[in-house]
């Protein structure tokens, strides 16, 4: 899962409401992508000032995740192993750490080779959602320009 800042022209009278850490105005497209680059969940409309983790917490998806209403399969035995592993969502550091969300260790916490290997593998898994956003922006060129509409119409 990840969020993409969709650049917009600042609405009249909005002040810094849509101004993000990338130093431009935006709205956030939050998405969950599967291993085949298919968008399986999209949420759009939160102002760019809110972090990805904050955007996630404002979605119906997150409410359902917290209430165990998503019918996520139970842990499964890994092939050729005795370990049972849960199904999880892979995210970046902006998201909350939960038992169902994997995210990398912070740079300062990379104190062992096991943690470095873990971060490498999480980052490889995250490439899927980043590539999916790249494909989306290539296919729909509007994502390369500032959208100059009222935010309600952009949604």
């Amino acid at each position: 899962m990840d969020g993409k800042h969709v650049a917009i022209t600042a609405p009249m009278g909005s002040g810094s409401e849509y101004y993000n850490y990338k130093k431009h105005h935006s709205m956030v497209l939050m998405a969950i992508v599967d291993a085949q680059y298919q968008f399986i969940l999209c949420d759009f409309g939160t102002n760019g000032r809110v972090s990805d983790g904050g955007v996630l917490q404002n979605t119906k998806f997150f409410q359902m995740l917290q209430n165990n209403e998503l019918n996520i399969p139970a842990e499964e035995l890994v092939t050729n192993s005795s370990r049972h592993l849960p199904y999880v969502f892979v995210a970046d550091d902006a998201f909350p750490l939960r038992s169902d969300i994997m995210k990398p260790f912070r740079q300062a916490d990379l104190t062992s080779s096991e943690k470095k290997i873990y971060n490498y593998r999480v980052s490889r898994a995250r490439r899927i959602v980043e590539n999916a956003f790249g494909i989306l922006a290539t296919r729909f060129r509007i994502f390369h320009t500032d959208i100059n509409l009222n935010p309600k119409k952009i949604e």
Side-chain angles (χ1 to χ4, degrees):
M1 73 175 69
D2 202 4
K4 174 178 178 44
H5 286 268
V6 178
I8 65 169
T9 301
M12 291 284 262
S14 66
S16 63
E17 181 179 2
Y18 292 91
Y19 196 72
N20 66 30
Y21 71 96
K22 295 180 176 190
K23 301 192 184 323
H24 65 84
H25 293 83
S26 67
M27 294 175 76
V28 180
L29 170 61
M30 174 67 56
I32 297 175
V33 178
D34 69 12
Q36 285 76 43
Y37 298 93
Q38 296 178 43
F39 287 83
I40 58 175
L41 178 128
C42 290
D43 183 89
F44 181 76
T46 302
N47 68 62
R49 188 173 188 140
V50 179
S51 72
D52 286 350
V55 172
L56 174 67
Q57 292 177 359
N58 292 331
T59 64
K60 183 172 180 161
F61 162 79
F62 190 70
Q63 292 173 353
M64 293 176 73
L65 182 64
Q66 283 187 307
N67 297 330
N68 295 317
E69 298 171 345
L70 292 177
N71 297 324
I72 296 172
E75 299 183 336
E76 284 190 21
L77 184 66
V78 178
T79 307
N80 299 324
S81 173
S82 61
R83 297 183 74 184
H84 284 81
L85 295 178
Y87 284 87
V88 296
F89 295 95
V90 179
D92 65 16
D93 197 37
F95 291 90
L97 181 61
R98 296 172 38 98
S99 60
D100 46 18
I101 298 177
M102 290 178 70
K103 67 183 216 174
F105 288 101
R106 293 179 187 267
Q107 200 67 31
D109 297 332
L110 292 177
T111 55
S112 68
S113 61
E114 289 85 5
K115 289 181 179 181
K116 289 176 184 175
I117 291 168
Y118 168 85
N119 270 19
Y120 172 74
R121 290 182 177 160
V122 168
S123 102
R124 290 215 30 208
R126 283 200 64 258
R127 285 185 202 166
I128 299 294
V129 70
E130 291 171 3
N131 290 345
F133 279 133
I135 293 166
L136 180 76
T138 300
R139 174 68 178 88
F140 300 102
R141 305 293 295 169
I142 193 160
F143 290 109
H144 288 287
T145 62
D146 289 4
I147 300 174
N148 189 11
L149 291 171
N150 178 303
K152 293 289 182 206
K153 293 192 180 203
I154 296 173
E155 288 181 39

